[in-house]
Amino acid sequence: MNAVKIAAIVLIIAGVLGLMYGGFSYTKETHDVDLGPIEFSVKEKQNVTIPVWGGVAAIVFGGVLLLYGSKRS
C-alpha cells in the first residue's frame, strides 16, 4: 500500500466519522494565577463542530484519490 492509498482511506474514514458525530469536544486547562504556593487553574471545555460539507468533501476527495491515485502508479 502506498502513501496515496493510505491518505485516501484516512480521508474517507475521517469524512464518515465527521458526518456521524458532527464534531468533538476537548478540555483545555489553563493556569491563570500563581500566588506563591497557591496555583489557580481553569478547565475550559471547547467544542469543535465539523460542517456537513466538510465531511462530504473529505469522502469525495478520498474516493477520487483512491480511484485515480492507484491508476497513476
Side-chain angles (χ1 to χ4, degrees):
M1 239 183 174
N2 59 10
V4 175
K5 285 184 181 180
I6 293 172
I9 292 171
V10 167
L11 276 172
I12 292 170
I13 291 172
V16 168
L17 289 175
L19 288 176
M20 284 175 50
Y21 292 108
F24 61 93
S25 63
Y26 63 94
T27 303
K28 178 179 163 183
E29 185 173 337
T30 57
H31 299 286
D32 289 337
V33 179
D34 289 332
L35 296 172
I38 300 172
E39 180 179 299
F40 295 101
S41 64
V42 176
K43 292 184 181 181
E44 186 177 343
K45 191 171 183 177
Q46 301 283 331
N47 291 323
V48 177
T49 58
I50 300 171
V52 173
W53 62 266
V56 172
I59 293 170
V60 169
F61 189 64
V64 168
L65 268 179
L66 195 60
L67 291 176
Y68 292 116
S70 61
K71 290 182 182 180
R72 206 170 195 203
S73 299

